[in-house]
Amino acid sequence: MNTSALPPFWALLPAAGIGSRMRADRPKQYLALAGKTIIEHTLACFLEHPQLRAVVVSLAVDDPYWPTLACARDPRIQRAEGGAERADSVLSGLLRLGELGAQKQDWVLVHDAARPNLARSDLDMLLTELANDPVGGLLAAPARDTLKRASADGRVQSTVDRSGIWQAFTPQMFRLGELQRALADALLAGVAITDEASAIEWAGQAPRLIEGRSDNLKVTRPEDLCQLASLWQLKS
């Protein structure tokens, strides 16, 4: 692929969470995977891309782990102050991107810090498919398993029709100005924002779904790390 034909972009990683479901002694993005921390693997896919302008990582103010990483001294990576929720961290990161020279019409790719298995082919496909899209969009995959709606007592209430149901991944790619406005307005209105696409949806837009690889896994629970470790072992 001719990468020079792809649009330039900025990347943003919200990484201020503690990942309590991992039951680990540190935030999940700093757990070891194939000789490096998860966040180092996550950053690598972006840092190796020629169209990257810069990366902003939104971190907890008192994060003791980030300064110990070699990538913390990479001039292409800048730090922003993270917030209590993902939306707060993303909004803070967008403001930092503006300080670095990002313009309102520039593309920003927001990616989970604990999603280290992003394939370069998926990243290039996202950039290609959305380069001229009026809204933007996200990597995702159609639901494969049967879905159940649960009742309050933990029993099956009904089976959900999975046709048209997609699992949202990251990166999620939107124009800086549009995303910043959507997030700020949603937070002001007290709307629960679970990802960047939900903020854009709340603003009345319809993000585009780009089908990506199902192994673009996010580390949330201990078994996720085991699954990724197995995948990386197969790669080596």
Side-chain angles (χ1 to χ4, degrees), residues 10 12 56 91-104 106 108 176 180:
W10 307 81
L12 196 169
V56 164
L91 191 55
S92 175
L94 293 173
L95 292 172
R96 183 74 180 106
L97 284 174
E99 295 172 356
L100 295 173
Q103 303 298 304
K104 290 183 177 180
D106 286 351
V108 176
L176 186 149
Q180 186 173 350

Side-chain angles (χ1 to χ4, degrees), residues 136-158:
L138 63 152
L139 287 177
R144 295 180 176 181
D145 298 323
T146 298
L147 304 174
K148 302 292 185 181
R149 179 174 287 108
S151 61
D153 61 355
R155 294 185 178 277
V156 173
Q157 187 177 74
S158 63

Side-chain angles (χ1 to χ4, degrees), residues 57-235:
V57 182
S58 296
L59 299 163
V61 176
D62 56 352
D63 186 324
Y65 303 102
W66 175 256
T68 69
L69 304 181
C71 61
R73 296 180 289 279
D74 190 315
R76 296 169 295 174
I77 305 174
Q78 297 294 315
R79 180 172 179 168
E81 183 175 326
E85 302 293 340
R86 178 190 178 92
D88 301 306
S89 292
V90 173
L91 191 55
S92 175
L94 293 173
L95 292 172
R96 183 74 180 106
L97 284 174
E99 295 172 356
L100 295 173
Q103 303 298 304
K104 290 183 177 180
Q105 289 302 308
D106 286 351
W107 287 114
V108 176
L109 273 62
V110 183
H111 188 60
D112 298 321
R115 199 181 288 270
N117 205 38
L118 172 64
R120 172 63 182 271
S121 57
D122 269 10
L123 176 55
D124 285 348
M125 179 174 61
L126 185 74
L127 291 166
T128 299
E129 293 294 328
L130 298 180
N132 299 307
D133 195 274
V135 178
L138 63 152
L139 287 177
R144 295 180 176 181
D145 298 323
T146 298
L147 304 174
K148 302 292 185 181
R149 179 174 287 108
S151 61
D153 61 355
R155 294 185 178 277
V156 173
Q157 187 177 74
S158 63
T159 298
V160 179
D161 180 6
R162 71 175 181 231
S163 61
I165 301 296
W166 289 60
Q167 182 178 357
F169 297 156
T170 65
Q172 303 198 356
M173 176 174 165
F174 298 104
R175 303 283 185 183
L176 186 149
E178 292 293 328
L179 181 56
Q180 186 173 350
R181 182 167 52 252
L183 282 170
D185 289 349
L187 288 173
L188 188 63
V191 177
I193 297 299
T194 56
D195 65 355
E196 294 64 53
S198 63
I200 297 295
E201 295 160 34
W202 183 80
Q205 301 291 332
R208 186 177 168 194
L209 294 163
I210 305 298
E211 185 171 355
R213 293 171 56 110
S214 61
D215 61 0
N216 182 12
L217 301 172
K218 181 180 180 181
V219 176
T220 303
R221 300 179 183 275
E223 57 265 31
D224 301 326
L225 189 58
C226 293
Q227 186 174 354
L228 275 173
S230 297
L231 285 171
W232 283 64
Q233 189 173 14
L234 290 173
K235 288 181 181 181

